[in-house]
Amino acid sequence: MNTHKKHGFWHRYFFSLDHKDIGFQYMLTIFFMVSIGGFFAYVFRMHLAFPDMKVPLFGLVTNKDYNMLITNHGLIMMMWLALGMLLAVAGNFLIPIMIGTDDMAFPKLNKISYWIFLLSVILMIASFFMPKGGLGVGWTLYPPLSVGDFGYNTPYKSFADRFFTANTFVLLAIAFEFTSLLMGGINFFVTTLNKRAKGMSLLKMPMVVWMINIANLLFMFSVGPLVAGTFMLLLDINVGTGFYDAYRGGDPLLWEHLFWFFGHPEVYVILLPPLGILAEIISVNSRKPLFGYKFILTLTLIAAVLSTMVWAHHQFVAGIDPRAATVFSIFTIIISLPFAGIILAYIATLWKGDLRFTLPMKWALGAVALFTLLGGFTGLHLGASVFDIYAHDTSFVVAHFHYTLFPTVIFGSFAAIYFWFSKFSGRKLNQTLGNLHFWLTFIFFNGFAFPLFLLGLAGQHRRIADYRQFEFLMQDPLPLYRKIATISAVILILSQFIFLFNFIWSLKRGKKETEDNPWQANTLEWQTSSPPPHGNFKVYPVVNYGPYEYNRPDKDKDFTPQNEI
Amino acid sequence: MKIFPENASSYGGEVDFIFWLITGVVAVASVIVIFLLLYPVLTRRRKLTKTQRYQKGEGFRNLRLIYLGILLLAIADFFFLYKEGPTWTKIEETLPDKEFHVAIIGRQWLWEIVYPGPDGKLYTADDVKKINQFYMPVNSVVHMDIQSYDVIHSVFIPNARFKQDALPGRNITRWVKMTKTGTFPLSCAEICGIGHANMKATIIVQNKEDFKKTLTKLYKK
Ligand code: HEM
Ligand SMILES: [Cu+2]
Ligand SMILES: [Cu+2]
């Protein structure tokens, strides 16, 4: 067992092998990325509501700027925030300590994963500054548009001409990021399989550890085709091959298949870790065992398998055989069933519980409500291929996926941060600021996303810089909806500064966490000091109980730590 | 307050019906979910009793209400699929006999509408081309050959509830039958570059006589 030594700045942020430090490095990097993604959202949202305005801190937004802003907003949020936060950060912080071990199985590999992640971030940022400007083709990168400024019609001048483009850099950034996540994922697997504390059978693992690993499995399964697809796209751009060029035997639809074969499972890769986080928080704050542990696990595995068979619901009207669309429609609608089961199991955990409305619990309940009521249910609308003919590529879809992604990625991450902050930092976040942050985010997220449903139903297509050219989209009350969405989005984004301040201030000056187990939780991370020592535990725990043994009839106190004798 | 733009096609009503059907069922389901969430939230705040709280949810008996929920949703799901199937087949998989035929070709950043010339056949030397102006006769089945010269575009006619991507190297034939005369917007729903936001055409639906006159005018030019 390691003794805790004080290390300097460079050590902690660049060379540390400790999983908690590496998790922290990932987290800071992602905070940086998400502030860019959020800033872009602010700029283009302002432009939509007030098209003639010079957006403060940016200036006048041209069509070219607009395309660039939404594309990079989408890419950053999906690839770097969502995947990074929920696989890399959550996996790093939680897996080793929750399974009762000192570190990852391969700490050096872990460190290299982070460095490659950092490289991908650098490439991504560099792409904004290429001679022809940032990428503006939509985050789905559909060729032929993504092959160059004008698809295949631009004459091929020189290699440098093609290489130093945002197209190349973004694709390289994605490729490196996936490499990093794959290396991280392998590490998580081996760690989970080989390093669990004595007595921790697979079915005694906390749900979040399961979920991160299942998400990783799904990621590994689905990412291969996209990496191949990315490579072909890179060749099309840089060498002049024609894999996606219809006039030279290629097919642009091929990219759509490869992209969504990854892209749809990706949304479940993103969804599962927060579902795991919610399971922990809901169970602890209901003082009840998680209802249907094995049931949830089974449903998750079923959903993971199903999620690989629904990708073409993004392509109902993309030119695929309409008979195939029927099959994908059926699978898409069926995938609602396992998730309904999981959500109902969470709700059952609340029933007859003894609820504590702590901050993490608020985020968790908010996430469950919004995800189910407005994210999940509108998925049924879109899964019905007939309605998707109309709704595809309108703001209805934008509203739908923000209602699935925001509650899981953002609410889920905040739930986790408010839950585990004091464990890993040894200091408490300010509760008043936390409450303010929660309510502002909750209200103004709805204020921003809900009008988009109505705009979409009115026929507003997405990725449009200026709706004034479409008379039918300028009729009352649509401009008003756009303004409501924008003003809410601005307040939503500003509210995050409350969090940022709280986070930084509490890290340095927050009240000291005096207890090891302030929530009276069962899982192993709460059975060591806050913050944990370098090797996580002074004495390695031996597990005797499952993770959710709250209110066991044979115990006096209402919780039973996993390592209790 | 109207939710959808005015419907002006023969099948648009069925698309709207699917939306309202799903919305109706979902509204009922939402009420149930809201109750299930709010009830414990409102009544179980720090009840420090120890009654019946150690439930692990194992075995069919304990999970029976959840299975019931899944079953109900499954019934709703299959009902949606059952209801929408025929409409999908009608719009996407079948082509009723055509009364008029055009090609609509996307290019950065405009729509070319190609009308058959006096011989009544498309893809012959006498075809006429119009930019961003799509004339069609009312109450007639119009076949559209959807194509693209360069990148992917998407033909979106909100008033017809119709959308289809236009891909380079492919010809995708779909149909529409407008039931009202007037002008309707046609936008491009797939990002296609800097001019994507400006890419729009006008659909002018005319009664059959006016439409004939329009065609003759087109041929003269
Ligand atoms: C800060 C709050 C956010 C605001 C105000 C916001 C706003 C928007 C808006 C208005 C669009 C549509 C742009 C258009 O089609 O014209 C958009 C696109 C998108 N957003 Fe967000 N968003 C936010 C957070 C997020 C988060 C957290 C995620 C994912 C985790 C996300 C993922 C996406 C994606 C993938 C797109 C599609 C980009 C594309 O069309 O290529 N957004 N966002
Ligand atoms: Cu999908
Ligand atoms: Cu377009």
PDB file of all heavy atoms in Angstrom, chain A residues 251 288 292 322 336 351-353 355 381 390 392 469 549 551, chain B residues 23 36 44 53-56 77 84 88 163 165 170 198 200:
ATOM      1  N   ASP A 251     -20.318   5.293 -52.707  1.00  0.00           N
ATOM      2  CA  ASP A 251     -21.712   5.540 -52.324  1.00  0.00           C
ATOM      3  C   ASP A 251     -21.766   6.396 -51.063  1.00  0.00           C
ATOM      4  O   ASP A 251     -21.260   5.990 -50.023  1.00  0.00           O
ATOM      5  CB  ASP A 251     -22.404   4.203 -52.050  1.00  0.00           C
ATOM      6  CG  ASP A 251     -23.891   4.400 -51.826  1.00  0.00           C
ATOM      7  OD1 ASP A 251     -24.350   5.556 -51.758  1.00  0.00           O
ATOM      8  OD2 ASP A 251     -24.600   3.386 -51.702  1.00  0.00           O
ATOM      9  N   LYS A 288     -33.224   2.452   0.338  1.00  0.00           N
ATOM     10  CA  LYS A 288     -33.831   1.179  -0.054  1.00  0.00           C
ATOM     11  C   LYS A 288     -32.907   0.501  -1.046  1.00  0.00           C
ATOM     12  O   LYS A 288     -32.215   1.174  -1.796  1.00  0.00           O
ATOM     13  CB  LYS A 288     -35.161   1.451  -0.778  1.00  0.00           C
ATOM     14  CG  LYS A 288     -36.399   1.280   0.066  1.00  0.00           C
ATOM     15  CD  LYS A 288     -37.623   1.449  -0.803  1.00  0.00           C
ATOM     16  CE  LYS A 288     -37.805   0.272  -1.750  1.00  0.00           C
ATOM     17  NZ  LYS A 288     -38.859   0.502  -2.720  1.00  0.00           N
ATOM     18  N   GLY A 292     -34.803  -4.469  -8.164  1.00  0.00           N
ATOM     19  CA  GLY A 292     -34.593  -5.286  -9.361  1.00  0.00           C
ATOM     20  C   GLY A 292     -33.214  -5.152  -9.970  1.00  0.00           C
ATOM     21  O   GLY A 292     -33.074  -4.897 -11.162  1.00  0.00           O
ATOM     22  N   PRO A 322     -37.227   1.450 -48.640  1.00  0.00           N
ATOM     23  CA  PRO A 322     -38.288   1.723 -47.652  1.00  0.00           C
ATOM     24  C   PRO A 322     -38.760   0.468 -46.916  1.00  0.00           C
ATOM     25  O   PRO A 322     -39.263   0.582 -45.792  1.00  0.00           O
ATOM     26  CB  PRO A 322     -39.419   2.321 -48.481  1.00  0.00           C
ATOM     27  CG  PRO A 322     -38.983   2.361 -49.876  1.00  0.00           C
ATOM     28  CD  PRO A 322     -37.566   1.924 -49.980  1.00  0.00           C
ATOM     29  N   SER A 336     -37.826   0.830 -26.757  1.00  0.00           N
ATOM     30  CA  SER A 336     -38.412   1.572 -25.650  1.00  0.00           C
ATOM     31  C   SER A 336     -38.744   0.640 -24.475  1.00  0.00           C
ATOM     32  O   SER A 336     -38.808   1.099 -23.336  1.00  0.00           O
ATOM     33  CB  SER A 336     -39.677   2.293 -26.106  1.00  0.00           C
ATOM     34  OG  SER A 336     -40.666   1.358 -26.489  1.00  0.00           O
ATOM     35  N   TRP A 351     -40.552   4.225  -4.285  1.00  0.00           N
ATOM     36  CA  TRP A 351     -41.787   3.935  -3.555  1.00  0.00           C
ATOM     37  C   TRP A 351     -41.489   3.281  -2.217  1.00  0.00           C
ATOM     38  O   TRP A 351     -40.658   2.395  -2.124  1.00  0.00           O
ATOM     39  CB  TRP A 351     -42.711   3.041  -4.407  1.00  0.00           C
ATOM     40  CG  TRP A 351     -43.534   3.883  -5.350  1.00  0.00           C
ATOM     41  CD1 TRP A 351     -43.043   4.664  -6.346  1.00  0.00           C
ATOM     42  CD2 TRP A 351     -44.957   4.054  -5.339  1.00  0.00           C
ATOM     43  NE1 TRP A 351     -44.072   5.310  -6.966  1.00  0.00           N
ATOM     44  CE2 TRP A 351     -45.250   4.961  -6.375  1.00  0.00           C
ATOM     45  CE3 TRP A 351     -45.993   3.536  -4.558  1.00  0.00           C
ATOM     46  CZ2 TRP A 351     -46.562   5.363  -6.646  1.00  0.00           C
ATOM     47  CZ3 TRP A 351     -47.293   3.925  -4.836  1.00  0.00           C
ATOM     48  CH2 TRP A 351     -47.570   4.835  -5.873  1.00  0.00           C
ATOM     49  N   LYS A 352     -42.182   3.730  -1.206  1.00  0.00           N
ATOM     50  CA  LYS A 352     -41.983   3.239   0.155  1.00  0.00           C
ATOM     51  C   LYS A 352     -40.568   3.458   0.641  1.00  0.00           C
ATOM     52  O   LYS A 352     -40.088   2.792   1.545  1.00  0.00           O
ATOM     53  CB  LYS A 352     -42.333   1.746   0.268  1.00  0.00           C
ATOM     54  CG  LYS A 352     -43.796   1.509  -0.058  1.00  0.00           C
ATOM     55  CD  LYS A 352     -44.277   0.194   0.452  1.00  0.00           C
ATOM     56  CE  LYS A 352     -45.770   0.069   0.213  1.00  0.00           C
ATOM     57  NZ  LYS A 352     -46.161  -1.294  -0.106  1.00  0.00           N
ATOM     58  N   GLY A 353     -39.863   4.370   0.003  1.00  0.00           N
ATOM     59  CA  GLY A 353     -38.534   4.698   0.485  1.00  0.00           C
ATOM     60  C   GLY A 353     -38.631   5.742   1.566  1.00  0.00           C
ATOM     61  O   GLY A 353     -39.708   6.073   2.048  1.00  0.00           O
ATOM     62  N   LEU A 355     -37.204   9.191   1.507  1.00  0.00           N
ATOM     63  CA  LEU A 355     -36.458   9.971   0.532  1.00  0.00           C
ATOM     64  C   LEU A 355     -35.732  11.148   1.150  1.00  0.00           C
ATOM     65  O   LEU A 355     -36.236  11.813   2.039  1.00  0.00           O
ATOM     66  CB  LEU A 355     -37.394  10.497  -0.564  1.00  0.00           C
ATOM     67  CG  LEU A 355     -38.225   9.465  -1.308  1.00  0.00           C
ATOM     68  CD1 LEU A 355     -38.882  10.100  -2.522  1.00  0.00           C
ATOM     69  CD2 LEU A 355     -37.408   8.281  -1.733  1.00  0.00           C
ATOM     70  N   HIS A 381     -42.428   8.949 -31.124  1.00  0.00           N
ATOM     71  CA  HIS A 381     -42.899   9.701 -32.300  1.00  0.00           C
ATOM     72  C   HIS A 381     -41.938   9.507 -33.469  1.00  0.00           C
ATOM     73  O   HIS A 381     -42.338   9.247 -34.587  1.00  0.00           O
ATOM     74  CB  HIS A 381     -42.954  11.201 -31.986  1.00  0.00           C
ATOM     75  CG  HIS A 381     -44.087  11.595 -31.093  1.00  0.00           C
ATOM     76  ND1 HIS A 381     -43.942  11.783 -29.741  1.00  0.00           N
ATOM     77  CD2 HIS A 381     -45.380  11.851 -31.369  1.00  0.00           C
ATOM     78  CE1 HIS A 381     -45.106  12.135 -29.222  1.00  0.00           C
ATOM     79  NE2 HIS A 381     -45.992  12.187 -30.177  1.00  0.00           N
ATOM     80  N   TYR A 390     -41.932  13.512 -41.734  1.00  0.00           N
ATOM     81  CA  TYR A 390     -42.139  14.943 -41.515  1.00  0.00           C
ATOM     82  C   TYR A 390     -41.101  15.529 -40.555  1.00  0.00           C
ATOM     83  O   TYR A 390     -40.536  16.592 -40.800  1.00  0.00           O
ATOM     84  CB  TYR A 390     -43.542  15.181 -40.960  1.00  0.00           C
ATOM     85  CG  TYR A 390     -43.851  16.645 -40.728  1.00  0.00           C
ATOM     86  CD1 TYR A 390     -43.919  17.531 -41.789  1.00  0.00           C
ATOM     87  CD2 TYR A 390     -44.049  17.145 -39.451  1.00  0.00           C
ATOM     88  CE1 TYR A 390     -44.186  18.875 -41.586  1.00  0.00           C
ATOM     89  CE2 TYR A 390     -44.320  18.487 -39.243  1.00  0.00           C
ATOM     90  CZ  TYR A 390     -44.383  19.348 -40.314  1.00  0.00           C
ATOM     91  OH  TYR A 390     -44.632  20.671 -40.118  1.00  0.00           O
ATOM     92  N   HIS A 392     -38.111  14.419 -39.440  1.00  0.00           N
ATOM     93  CA  HIS A 392     -36.682  14.253 -39.671  1.00  0.00           C
ATOM     94  C   HIS A 392     -36.040  15.581 -40.067  1.00  0.00           C
ATOM     95  O   HIS A 392     -36.598  16.320 -40.876  1.00  0.00           O
ATOM     96  CB  HIS A 392     -36.470  13.220 -40.777  1.00  0.00           C
ATOM     97  CG  HIS A 392     -35.038  13.002 -41.128  1.00  0.00           C
ATOM     98  ND1 HIS A 392     -34.175  12.362 -40.276  1.00  0.00           N
ATOM     99  CD2 HIS A 392     -34.314  13.371 -42.193  1.00  0.00           C
ATOM    100  CE1 HIS A 392     -32.978  12.339 -40.834  1.00  0.00           C
ATOM    101  NE2 HIS A 392     -33.030  12.945 -41.984  1.00  0.00           N
ATOM    102  N   GLN A 469     -35.964  34.030 -44.475  1.00  0.00           N
ATOM    103  CA  GLN A 469     -36.310  33.802 -45.872  1.00  0.00           C
ATOM    104  C   GLN A 469     -37.499  32.883 -46.029  1.00  0.00           C
ATOM    105  O   GLN A 469     -37.994  32.684 -47.130  1.00  0.00           O
ATOM    106  CB  GLN A 469     -35.127  33.193 -46.590  1.00  0.00           C
ATOM    107  CG  GLN A 469     -33.878  33.929 -46.272  1.00  0.00           C
ATOM    108  CD  GLN A 469     -32.687  33.214 -46.782  1.00  0.00           C
ATOM    109  OE1 GLN A 469     -32.649  32.820 -47.933  1.00  0.00           O
ATOM    110  NE2 GLN A 469     -31.707  33.038 -45.925  1.00  0.00           N
ATOM    111  N   GLU A 549     -27.610  -2.759   0.231  1.00  0.00           N
ATOM    112  CA  GLU A 549     -28.280  -3.337   1.396  1.00  0.00           C
ATOM    113  C   GLU A 549     -28.685  -2.251   2.384  1.00  0.00           C
ATOM    114  O   GLU A 549     -28.110  -2.124   3.468  1.00  0.00           O
ATOM    115  CB  GLU A 549     -27.356  -4.353   2.073  1.00  0.00           C
ATOM    116  CG  GLU A 549     -27.040  -5.547   1.206  1.00  0.00           C
ATOM    117  CD  GLU A 549     -28.266  -6.408   0.935  1.00  0.00           C
ATOM    118  OE1 GLU A 549     -29.018  -6.710   1.883  1.00  0.00           O
ATOM    119  OE2 GLU A 549     -28.473  -6.768  -0.240  1.00  0.00           O
ATOM    120  N   ASN A 551     -31.466  -0.679   4.942  1.00  0.00           N
ATOM    121  CA  ASN A 551     -32.588  -1.137   5.761  1.00  0.00           C
ATOM    122  C   ASN A 551     -32.736  -2.636   5.826  1.00  0.00           C
ATOM    123  O   ASN A 551     -33.841  -3.168   5.769  1.00  0.00           O
ATOM    124  CB  ASN A 551     -33.895  -0.538   5.237  1.00  0.00           C
ATOM    125  CG  ASN A 551     -34.195   0.757   5.939  1.00  0.00           C
ATOM    126  OD1 ASN A 551     -34.273   0.777   7.160  1.00  0.00           O
ATOM    127  ND2 ASN A 551     -34.328   1.826   5.188  1.00  0.00           N
TER     128      ASN A 551
ATOM    129  N   THR B  23     -49.176  11.001 -29.592  1.00  0.00           N
ATOM    130  CA  THR B  23     -49.218  12.026 -28.552  1.00  0.00           C
ATOM    131  C   THR B  23     -50.301  11.727 -27.526  1.00  0.00           C
ATOM    132  O   THR B  23     -50.086  11.876 -26.320  1.00  0.00           O
ATOM    133  CB  THR B  23     -49.457  13.411 -29.179  1.00  0.00           C
ATOM    134  OG1 THR B  23     -48.463  13.619 -30.176  1.00  0.00           O
ATOM    135  CG2 THR B  23     -49.345  14.511 -28.140  1.00  0.00           C
ATOM    136  N   LEU B  36     -46.521   8.401 -10.674  1.00  0.00           N
ATOM    137  CA  LEU B  36     -45.606   7.447 -10.033  1.00  0.00           C
ATOM    138  C   LEU B  36     -44.395   8.153  -9.428  1.00  0.00           C
ATOM    139  O   LEU B  36     -43.867   7.742  -8.392  1.00  0.00           O
ATOM    140  CB  LEU B  36     -45.135   6.408 -11.054  1.00  0.00           C
ATOM    141  CG  LEU B  36     -46.188   5.402 -11.514  1.00  0.00           C
ATOM    142  CD1 LEU B  36     -45.623   4.514 -12.606  1.00  0.00           C
ATOM    143  CD2 LEU B  36     -46.650   4.547 -10.334  1.00  0.00           C
ATOM    144  N   ARG B  44     -43.069  10.641   0.798  1.00  0.00           N
ATOM    145  CA  ARG B  44     -42.085   9.807   1.484  1.00  0.00           C
ATOM    146  C   ARG B  44     -40.847  10.569   1.894  1.00  0.00           C
ATOM    147  O   ARG B  44     -39.746  10.017   1.932  1.00  0.00           O
ATOM    148  CB  ARG B  44     -41.675   8.616   0.610  1.00  0.00           C
ATOM    149  CG  ARG B  44     -42.786   7.747   0.127  1.00  0.00           C
ATOM    150  CD  ARG B  44     -43.491   7.005   1.231  1.00  0.00           C
ATOM    151  NE  ARG B  44     -42.601   6.250   2.075  1.00  0.00           N
ATOM    152  CZ  ARG B  44     -43.002   5.406   3.012  1.00  0.00           C
ATOM    153  NH1 ARG B  44     -44.304   5.179   3.195  1.00  0.00           N
ATOM    154  NH2 ARG B  44     -42.137   4.773   3.767  1.00  0.00           N
ATOM    155  N   ARG B  53     -39.483  -1.662   3.844  1.00  0.00           N
ATOM    156  CA  ARG B  53     -38.633  -0.957   2.900  1.00  0.00           C
ATOM    157  C   ARG B  53     -37.560  -1.833   2.285  1.00  0.00           C
ATOM    158  O   ARG B  53     -36.972  -1.455   1.307  1.00  0.00           O
ATOM    159  CB  ARG B  53     -38.021   0.256   3.564  1.00  0.00           C
ATOM    160  CG  ARG B  53     -39.005   1.385   3.548  1.00  0.00           C
ATOM    161  CD  ARG B  53     -38.387   2.681   3.844  1.00  0.00           C
ATOM    162  NE  ARG B  53     -38.777   3.125   5.176  1.00  0.00           N
ATOM    163  CZ  ARG B  53     -37.930   3.247   6.164  1.00  0.00           C
ATOM    164  NH1 ARG B  53     -36.664   2.958   5.997  1.00  0.00           N
ATOM    165  NH2 ARG B  53     -38.344   3.658   7.332  1.00  0.00           N
ATOM    166  N   TYR B  54     -37.343  -2.996   2.844  1.00  0.00           N
ATOM    167  CA  TYR B  54     -36.273  -3.827   2.311  1.00  0.00           C
ATOM    168  C   TYR B  54     -36.817  -4.699   1.183  1.00  0.00           C
ATOM    169  O   TYR B  54     -37.086  -5.882   1.356  1.00  0.00           O
ATOM    170  CB  TYR B  54     -35.670  -4.661   3.442  1.00  0.00           C
ATOM    171  CG  TYR B  54     -34.473  -5.452   3.018  1.00  0.00           C
ATOM    172  CD1 TYR B  54     -33.265  -4.818   2.739  1.00  0.00           C
ATOM    173  CD2 TYR B  54     -34.546  -6.827   2.882  1.00  0.00           C
ATOM    174  CE1 TYR B  54     -32.164  -5.544   2.331  1.00  0.00           C
ATOM    175  CE2 TYR B  54     -33.440  -7.564   2.490  1.00  0.00           C
ATOM    176  CZ  TYR B  54     -32.258  -6.912   2.211  1.00  0.00           C
ATOM    177  OH  TYR B  54     -31.178  -7.624   1.810  1.00  0.00           O
ATOM    178  N   GLN B  55     -37.073  -4.049   0.029  1.00  0.00           N
ATOM    179  CA  GLN B  55     -37.581  -4.812  -1.110  1.00  0.00           C
ATOM    180  C   GLN B  55     -36.498  -4.827  -2.170  1.00  0.00           C
ATOM    181  O   GLN B  55     -36.040  -3.782  -2.598  1.00  0.00           O
ATOM    182  CB  GLN B  55     -38.793  -4.121  -1.724  1.00  0.00           C
ATOM    183  CG  GLN B  55     -39.888  -3.806  -0.768  1.00  0.00           C
ATOM    184  CD  GLN B  55     -40.804  -2.755  -1.367  1.00  0.00           C
ATOM    185  OE1 GLN B  55     -40.357  -1.796  -1.971  1.00  0.00           O
ATOM    186  NE2 GLN B  55     -42.096  -2.961  -1.194  1.00  0.00           N
ATOM    187  N   LYS B  56     -36.132  -6.025  -2.615  1.00  0.00           N
ATOM    188  CA  LYS B  56     -35.050  -6.063  -3.596  1.00  0.00           C
ATOM    189  C   LYS B  56     -35.547  -6.253  -5.016  1.00  0.00           C
ATOM    190  O   LYS B  56     -34.781  -6.133  -5.960  1.00  0.00           O
ATOM    191  CB  LYS B  56     -34.054  -7.167  -3.241  1.00  0.00           C
ATOM    192  CG  LYS B  56     -33.393  -6.887  -1.909  1.00  0.00           C
ATOM    193  CD  LYS B  56     -32.430  -7.950  -1.505  1.00  0.00           C
ATOM    194  CE  LYS B  56     -31.124  -7.849  -2.248  1.00  0.00           C
ATOM    195  NZ  LYS B  56     -30.070  -8.640  -1.625  1.00  0.00           N
ATOM    196  N   ASP B  77     -46.969   0.196 -28.404  1.00  0.00           N
ATOM    197  CA  ASP B  77     -45.964   0.201 -29.473  1.00  0.00           C
ATOM    198  C   ASP B  77     -46.476  -0.515 -30.715  1.00  0.00           C
ATOM    199  O   ASP B  77     -46.380  -0.014 -31.834  1.00  0.00           O
ATOM    200  CB  ASP B  77     -44.686  -0.512 -29.002  1.00  0.00           C
ATOM    201  CG  ASP B  77     -43.835   0.372 -28.098  1.00  0.00           C
ATOM    202  OD1 ASP B  77     -44.228   1.528 -27.876  1.00  0.00           O
ATOM    203  OD2 ASP B  77     -42.799  -0.112 -27.631  1.00  0.00           O
ATOM    204  N   GLU B  84     -49.364   2.683 -38.392  1.00  0.00           N
ATOM    205  CA  GLU B  84     -48.582   3.485 -39.331  1.00  0.00           C
ATOM    206  C   GLU B  84     -48.129   2.673 -40.541  1.00  0.00           C
ATOM    207  O   GLU B  84     -47.819   3.257 -41.578  1.00  0.00           O
ATOM    208  CB  GLU B  84     -47.364   4.099 -38.631  1.00  0.00           C
ATOM    209  CG  GLU B  84     -46.297   3.104 -38.253  1.00  0.00           C
ATOM    210  CD  GLU B  84     -44.901   3.632 -38.524  1.00  0.00           C
ATOM    211  OE1 GLU B  84     -44.729   4.852 -38.537  1.00  0.00           O
ATOM    212  OE2 GLU B  84     -43.993   2.816 -38.747  1.00  0.00           O
ATOM    213  N   TRP B  88     -47.051   4.144 -44.294  1.00  0.00           N
ATOM    214  CA  TRP B  88     -45.676   4.063 -44.787  1.00  0.00           C
ATOM    215  C   TRP B  88     -45.653   3.403 -46.160  1.00  0.00           C
ATOM    216  O   TRP B  88     -44.997   3.886 -47.098  1.00  0.00           O
ATOM    217  CB  TRP B  88     -44.809   3.298 -43.792  1.00  0.00           C
ATOM    218  CG  TRP B  88     -43.402   3.113 -44.263  1.00  0.00           C
ATOM    219  CD1 TRP B  88     -42.873   2.013 -44.859  1.00  0.00           C
ATOM    220  CD2 TRP B  88     -42.342   4.078 -44.212  1.00  0.00           C
ATOM    221  NE1 TRP B  88     -41.559   2.217 -45.174  1.00  0.00           N
ATOM    222  CE2 TRP B  88     -41.203   3.484 -44.790  1.00  0.00           C
ATOM    223  CE3 TRP B  88     -42.256   5.387 -43.732  1.00  0.00           C
ATOM    224  CZ2 TRP B  88     -39.979   4.150 -44.902  1.00  0.00           C
ATOM    225  CZ3 TRP B  88     -41.029   6.052 -43.844  1.00  0.00           C
ATOM    226  CH2 TRP B  88     -39.906   5.433 -44.422  1.00  0.00           C
ATOM    227  N   LYS B 163     -40.861  14.355 -47.262  1.00  0.00           N
ATOM    228  CA  LYS B 163     -39.428  14.634 -47.238  1.00  0.00           C
ATOM    229  C   LYS B 163     -38.693  13.479 -47.879  1.00  0.00           C
ATOM    230  O   LYS B 163     -39.050  12.319 -47.682  1.00  0.00           O
ATOM    231  CB  LYS B 163     -38.953  14.806 -45.795  1.00  0.00           C
ATOM    232  CG  LYS B 163     -37.520  15.283 -45.697  1.00  0.00           C
ATOM    233  CD  LYS B 163     -37.075  15.493 -44.260  1.00  0.00           C
ATOM    234  CE  LYS B 163     -37.730  16.661 -43.592  1.00  0.00           C
ATOM    235  NZ  LYS B 163     -38.539  16.236 -42.452  1.00  0.00           N
ATOM    236  N   ASP B 165     -34.433  12.660 -49.077  1.00  0.00           N
ATOM    237  CA  ASP B 165     -33.091  13.129 -49.399  1.00  0.00           C
ATOM    238  C   ASP B 165     -32.811  12.951 -50.889  1.00  0.00           C
ATOM    239  O   ASP B 165     -33.270  11.987 -51.502  1.00  0.00           O
ATOM    240  CB  ASP B 165     -32.038  12.343 -48.604  1.00  0.00           C
ATOM    241  CG  ASP B 165     -32.011  12.756 -47.141  1.00  0.00           C
ATOM    242  OD1 ASP B 165     -32.894  13.540 -46.740  1.00  0.00           O
ATOM    243  OD2 ASP B 165     -31.127  12.293 -46.405  1.00  0.00           O
ATOM    244  N   ARG B 170     -28.022   8.870 -57.608  1.00  0.00           N
ATOM    245  CA  ARG B 170     -29.200   8.039 -57.434  1.00  0.00           C
ATOM    246  C   ARG B 170     -30.416   8.761 -57.933  1.00  0.00           C
ATOM    247  O   ARG B 170     -30.492   9.982 -57.841  1.00  0.00           O
ATOM    248  CB  ARG B 170     -29.463   7.780 -55.958  1.00  0.00           C
ATOM    249  CG  ARG B 170     -28.829   6.546 -55.481  1.00  0.00           C
ATOM    250  CD  ARG B 170     -29.173   6.390 -54.031  1.00  0.00           C
ATOM    251  NE  ARG B 170     -28.080   5.651 -53.459  1.00  0.00           N
ATOM    252  CZ  ARG B 170     -28.233   4.556 -52.756  1.00  0.00           C
ATOM    253  NH1 ARG B 170     -29.422   4.123 -52.460  1.00  0.00           N
ATOM    254  NH2 ARG B 170     -27.188   3.903 -52.309  1.00  0.00           N
ATOM    255  N   ASN B 198     -30.254  29.223 -47.733  1.00  0.00           N
ATOM    256  CA  ASN B 198     -30.958  29.981 -48.774  1.00  0.00           C
ATOM    257  C   ASN B 198     -31.661  29.084 -49.768  1.00  0.00           C
ATOM    258  O   ASN B 198     -32.256  29.561 -50.730  1.00  0.00           O
ATOM    259  CB  ASN B 198     -29.968  30.845 -49.554  1.00  0.00           C
ATOM    260  CG  ASN B 198     -29.125  31.674 -48.637  1.00  0.00           C
ATOM    261  OD1 ASN B 198     -29.575  32.038 -47.557  1.00  0.00           O
ATOM    262  ND2 ASN B 198     -27.900  31.943 -49.028  1.00  0.00           N
ATOM    263  N   LYS B 200     -34.295  27.211 -51.297  1.00  0.00           N
ATOM    264  CA  LYS B 200     -35.720  26.990 -51.159  1.00  0.00           C
ATOM    265  C   LYS B 200     -36.368  27.145 -52.526  1.00  0.00           C
ATOM    266  O   LYS B 200     -35.842  27.834 -53.403  1.00  0.00           O
ATOM    267  CB  LYS B 200     -36.326  27.981 -50.177  1.00  0.00           C
ATOM    268  CG  LYS B 200     -36.107  29.419 -50.581  1.00  0.00           C
ATOM    269  CD  LYS B 200     -36.926  30.346 -49.744  1.00  0.00           C
ATOM    270  CE  LYS B 200     -36.816  31.749 -50.329  1.00  0.00           C
ATOM    271  NZ  LYS B 200     -37.653  32.711 -49.662  1.00  0.00           N
TER     272      LYS B 200
END
